[in-house]
Amino acid sequence: MIDKGSEDIKPTEGKSLNFLETIIEEDIRKGKNDGRVHTRFPPEPNGYLHIGHAKSICLNFGLADKYNGKCNLRFDDTNPTKEEQEYVNSIMEDVRWLGFDWEDRLFYASDYFDQLYEWAIKLIKDGKAYVDDQPADLISEQRGVPTRPGIESPFRKRSIEENLELFERMKKGEFPDASKVLRAKIDMASPNMHMRDPVLYRILHSNHHRTGDKWCVYPMYDFAHGQSDYLEGITHSICTLEFEIHRPLYDWFLDNLIESEYRPRQHEFARLNLSYTVMSKRKLLELVKDKYVTGWDDPRMPTISGLRRRGYTPESIRNFADRVGVAKRENVIDVGLLEFSIREHLNLISPRIFAVLDPLKVIITNYPEGKTEELNLENNPEDPNGGNRIVPFSREVYIERDDFMEDPPNKFFRLGPGREVRLKGAYVIKCEDVKKDENGNIIELHCTYDPTTKSGSGDQRKVKGTLHWVSVNHAVDAEVRLYDRLFSKEFPDELENENDDFKNNLNPDSLQVITGKIEPSVKNAKHPDHFQFQRLGYFCVDPDSIPDKLVFNRTVSLKDTWAKMNK
Ligand code: ATP
Ligand code: MG
């Protein structure tokens, strides 16, 4: 079952608020920050965004929207070794596609490098920061463990003058990478490890995607984030739970650097975890780099670009984010909820069409040769403006191979020798003969049709089964990519032993490529058109599709009785 884990608070005006809304409404009521609500979405451009980020985007932009506030897009680009313009571009595309607008509020942490540098100098001058010459592993060792005080660095007592001079020379590029760091002087005995003289600046002779070679010292995330929030006038800085323990440091920097009364305030919520999914950017990058998938936008990836290509709509993702709610405790959401959300939306918007994915030819022996009837069928019973389409019917049609059984059990309401079914929107046919090749494989069925049973003609004849079909001479061949979950294990990050790897949990059958026979109305379909292949699932046109070689992706299967019966 789905553990929402969300902690909804008492209803006001009939609708219950999540805990962040409760905090915001309380802040507004008290007139904090003059009642302003200003949030931000702060991705690091070191990979493509995933569905977890989508949750954060919907939350930050959604709260701003709800409370007449603003939401910034800020690139947290403090680590030049991992960040690229390609990622910046993809992130902007994804946020826009989800339906959100940062208007003129696009920012980069790197815009603040000068100011952050000035603030570092201020800390040094105030005796609250020092240059440490020790290597990283020694610094980390001296930090110790939370239950015992750490060891103070021998460089902790350096004079302000010496620190100023050394930091200046670090900035000028006089020292090699990792040979020195600037640390805050806080408390090596603090039970919070983040307060044990955290590193503020490190030396990195690395080209930055925006500032080029201007800098060879770069601020750490913690030294950049809260101050960036402050500079942008953020009121509610919403992040995931793992940053809760960083909050005292977030506040320490602001308290020691800023005079004004206004402060951004950090609030934490539980990150989105999904079953059958890995969500770490590092792991997703590994899948891309080592070619386990075709790219960041592989339709099996949990990235926003992958979901888009798979056929997910922005509405379905926003609805999903809404349903998940906001939790204060770690939890795992059933990926079935995401699939439910897309099914629900596609049901409303997708035209229904006939596609046969595993064709078996049916010859209707008493139907005139060369005759074609143009049947007028409804596109979408869920959409009053869905319109109609023409589907040609003729003497030879394809049906699904598993809609026929030579020796069917009683409850099989499809075709069998001597049995009748309705071809949807057309006629009732009866199976008279089964043709096989020399190996005994069924190659075609010979059937007869009853001309008095034309759909819509008022014929009341009851048959138990209705099959979809495609006229052989009119069928369009298309490549159909049948996607399934990328991982076959419910919690793919959980490893069995030291030598196990999350990639061992990849589903070997996550993609099957077949050629399908599709009704001709799809001839001019283009990405990202959506269809329901009747009785089979929801499909969309892939960007690889060209007019003479259509390519469809299965977005999600139908949850119908037919699927259940097949089990
Ligand atoms: P990863 O751990 O996958 O590398 P990250 O958190 O380091 O992701 P960022 O680019 O820093 O990636 O994330 C941008 C914002 O998105 C942050 O505010 C972060 O808290 C939020 N975020 C990231 N992953 C999730 C998630 N699974 N659920 C909700 N919010 C998330
Ligand atoms: Mg991060």
Side-chain angles (χ1 to χ4, degrees):
M1 259 317 284
I2 293 151
D3 169 21
K4 278 191 68 184
S6 61
E7 319 209 340
D8 290 341
I9 316 233
K10 293 142 249 66
T12 54
E13 296 162 23
K15 192 173 185 292
S16 68
L17 302 181
N18 65 48
F19 79 93
L20 290 170
E21 292 168 335
T22 304
I23 290 169
I24 291 175
E25 293 200 0
E26 181 70 6
D27 287 346
I28 293 173
R29 203 181 49 75
K30 287 191 297 206
K32 190 172 173 185
N33 301 312
D34 306 320
R36 280 189 314 118
V37 174
H38 201 152
T39 58
R40 83 287 169 267
F41 173 64
E44 181 179 0
N46 62 352
Y48 280 57
L49 297 181
H50 53 58
I51 182 74
H53 295 116
K55 168 72 215 168
S56 176
I57 294 166
C58 292
L59 185 60
N60 279 294
F61 281 92
L63 286 171
D65 224 35
K66 177 164 181 180
Y67 295 106
N68 273 324
K70 292 177 178 153
C71 180
N72 297 357
L73 175 62
R74 182 200 313 144
F75 288 100
D76 169 24
D77 55 351
T78 51
N79 183 2
T81 60
K82 291 191 175 156
E83 294 157 6
E84 289 172 25
Q85 189 60 39
E86 177 196 344
Y87 298 139
V88 169
N89 297 343
S90 76
I91 289 168
M92 293 199 283
E93 183 185 357
D94 288 349
V95 176
R96 278 199 201 99
W97 178 78
L98 277 176
F100 298 106
D101 186 0
W102 54 86
E103 297 169 332
D104 57 351
R105 295 178 309 279
L106 172 63
F107 300 107
Y108 296 83
S110 55
D111 293 343
Y112 313 132
F113 281 173
D114 285 299
Q115 172 68 69
L116 290 166
Y117 182 80
E118 289 308 315
W119 272 329
I121 304 257
K122 172 174 165 56
L123 287 183
I124 296 174
K125 286 184 175 161
D126 292 345
K128 292 173 183 165
Y130 61 98
V131 173
D132 195 333
D133 300 357
Q134 301 181 106
D137 50 354
L138 189 56
I139 289 179
S140 142
E141 200 183 303
Q142 289 170 352
R143 270 217 180 98
V145 292
T147 47
R148 264 179 287 127
I151 298 168
E152 294 191 353
S153 164
F155 299 98
R156 203 174 196 261
K157 295 197 174 71
R158 261 184 171 145
S159 71
I160 290 173
E161 291 66 36
E162 191 185 0
N163 281 319
L164 283 173
E165 185 211 319
L166 284 173
F167 189 48
E168 169 84 16
R169 290 173 60 198
M170 280 168 67
K171 181 194 176 205
K172 281 188 178 153
E174 291 185 23
F175 306 114
D177 283 3
S179 59
K180 286 182 174 22
V181 290
L182 182 72
R183 296 176 72 179
K185 195 187 284 186
I186 307 181
D187 179 5
M188 286 304 286
S190 171
N192 183 338
M193 300 295 285
H194 295 282
M195 301 299 275
R196 294 189 180 181
D197 292 11
V199 173
L200 308 182
Y201 267 90
R202 60 206 163 141
I203 304 174
L204 271 177
H205 292 268
S206 181
N207 187 277
H208 185 280
H209 74 112
R210 295 195 83 232
T211 58
D213 291 325
K214 176 173 175 192
W215 295 92
C216 56
V217 288
Y218 288 95
M220 302 302 289
Y221 167 87
D222 280 322
F223 192 63
H225 201 85
Q227 291 96 300
S228 302
D229 284 342
Y230 170 81
L231 290 168
E232 292 174 17
I234 301 303
T235 56
H236 299 83
S237 178
I238 297 163
C239 63
T240 41
L241 278 182
E242 65 272 23
F243 290 101
E244 187 170 8
I245 188 122
H246 295 240
R247 192 178 346 126
L249 184 56
Y250 179 104
D251 291 337
W252 189 90
F253 288 134
L254 295 175
D255 290 343
N256 284 279
L257 293 171
I258 280 138
E259 310 263 301
S260 80
E261 198 147 299
Y262 149 71
R263 291 273 190 289
R265 169 73 160 82
Q266 179 181 299
H267 301 278
E268 306 85 12
F269 73 105
R271 64 195 299 117
L272 172 70
N273 299 302
L274 271 186
S275 59
Y276 297 97
T277 309
V278 303
M279 209 91 91
S280 132
K281 271 194 259 180
R282 180 182 61 75
K283 290 178 184 167
L284 296 177
L285 178 66
E286 195 178 332
L287 294 177
V288 173
K289 286 248 151 89
D290 297 340
K291 304 213 171 357
Y292 290 92
V293 293
T294 57
W296 285 100
D297 70 343
D298 186 301
R300 292 165 293 184
M301 290 281 273
T303 50
I304 297 177
S305 50
L307 292 166
R308 174 164 65 232
R309 188 161 176 185
R310 177 79 170 252
Y312 277 74
T313 58
E315 291 88 334
S316 68
I317 294 177
R318 293 199 304 261
N319 284 340
F320 169 72
D322 223 37
R323 283 202 170 98
V324 165
V326 187
K328 277 196 209 173
R329 276 171 287 122
E330 281 294 333
N331 62 89
V332 179
I333 301 292
D334 189 330
V335 72
L337 186 64
L338 180 63
E339 292 165 355
F340 171 81
S341 298
I342 185 61
R343 226 179 248 125
E344 177 189 56
H345 189 222
L346 292 179
N347 178 44
L348 296 178
I349 63 165
S350 308
R352 275 59 172 163
I353 61 165
F354 293 155
V356 174
L357 299 185
D358 185 11
L360 173 62
K361 193 190 263 188
V362 170
I363 299 175
I364 304 164
T365 53
N366 61 337
Y367 193 87
E369 273 184 64
K371 177 175 172 179
T372 299
E373 273 178 86
E374 297 200 324
L375 306 175
N376 194 359
L377 302 187
E378 191 181 18
N379 282 331
N380 185 354
E382 301 289 332
D383 180 359
N385 305 314
N388 284 38
R389 71 192 192 282
I390 298 295
V391 182
F393 182 78
S394 66
R395 189 170 190 265
E396 298 188 0
V397 298
Y398 293 116
I399 63 167
E400 296 291 344
R401 192 161 278 277
D402 61 7
D403 276 340
F404 175 80
M405 274 180 93
E406 224 182 339
D407 190 12
N410 264 347
K411 285 200 168 157
F412 186 80
F413 298 129
R414 293 173 266 163
L415 205 52
R419 293 195 182 194
E420 287 188 325
V421 291
R422 173 170 292 282
L423 294 180
K424 190 169 171 64
Y427 297 96
V428 171
I429 60 166
K430 181 175 182 185
C431 177
E432 310 281 359
D433 199 6
V434 182
K435 297 286 177 203
K436 297 184 180 175
D437 65 12
E438 60 275 19
N439 301 318
N441 300 316
I442 299 170
I443 47 170
E444 60 188 39
L445 304 178
H446 286 192
C447 297
T448 51
Y449 86 118
D450 180 346
T452 68
T453 59
K454 188 165 181 179
S455 291
S457 68
D459 175 76
Q460 294 304 307
R461 194 106 145 261
K462 283 228 166 70
V463 285
K464 284 236 169 88
T466 300
L467 307 185
H468 64 278
W469 52 273
V470 174
S471 165
V472 170
N473 281 330
H474 304 90
V476 175
D477 278 0
E479 180 176 321
V480 181
R481 300 175 180 169
L482 300 174
Y483 290 105
D484 202 346
R485 291 172 183 169
L486 185 55
F487 290 93
S488 41
K489 205 169 148 191
E490 189 173 6
F491 305 110
D493 293 310
E494 267 177 18
L495 303 182
E496 302 288 325
N497 55 56
E498 281 176 4
N499 302 321
D500 199 7
D501 184 290
F502 80 99
K503 297 192 292 307
N504 294 337
N505 300 325
L506 283 163
N507 173 9
D509 302 317
S510 60
L511 172 60
Q512 192 195 345
V513 181
I514 58 170
T515 301
K517 303 284 183 185
I518 325 266
E519 65 167 67
S521 71
V522 298
K523 231 170 224 161
N524 299 316
K526 279 186 208 57
H527 174 74
D529 291 350
H530 301 278
F531 298 96
Q532 187 197 89
F533 290 3
Q534 288 213 297
R535 299 175 65 228
L536 298 175
Y538 293 99
F539 291 74
C540 72
V541 181
D542 188 80
D544 283 348
S545 201
I546 50 173
D548 287 326
K549 191 177 177 295
L550 290 174
V551 180
F552 288 91
N553 295 330
R554 179 168 68 195
T555 308
V556 67
S557 58
L558 282 182
K559 208 176 40 169
D560 67 357
T561 48
W562 189 46
K564 267 188 222 137
M565 212 167 105
N566 270 339
K567 276 195 179 150

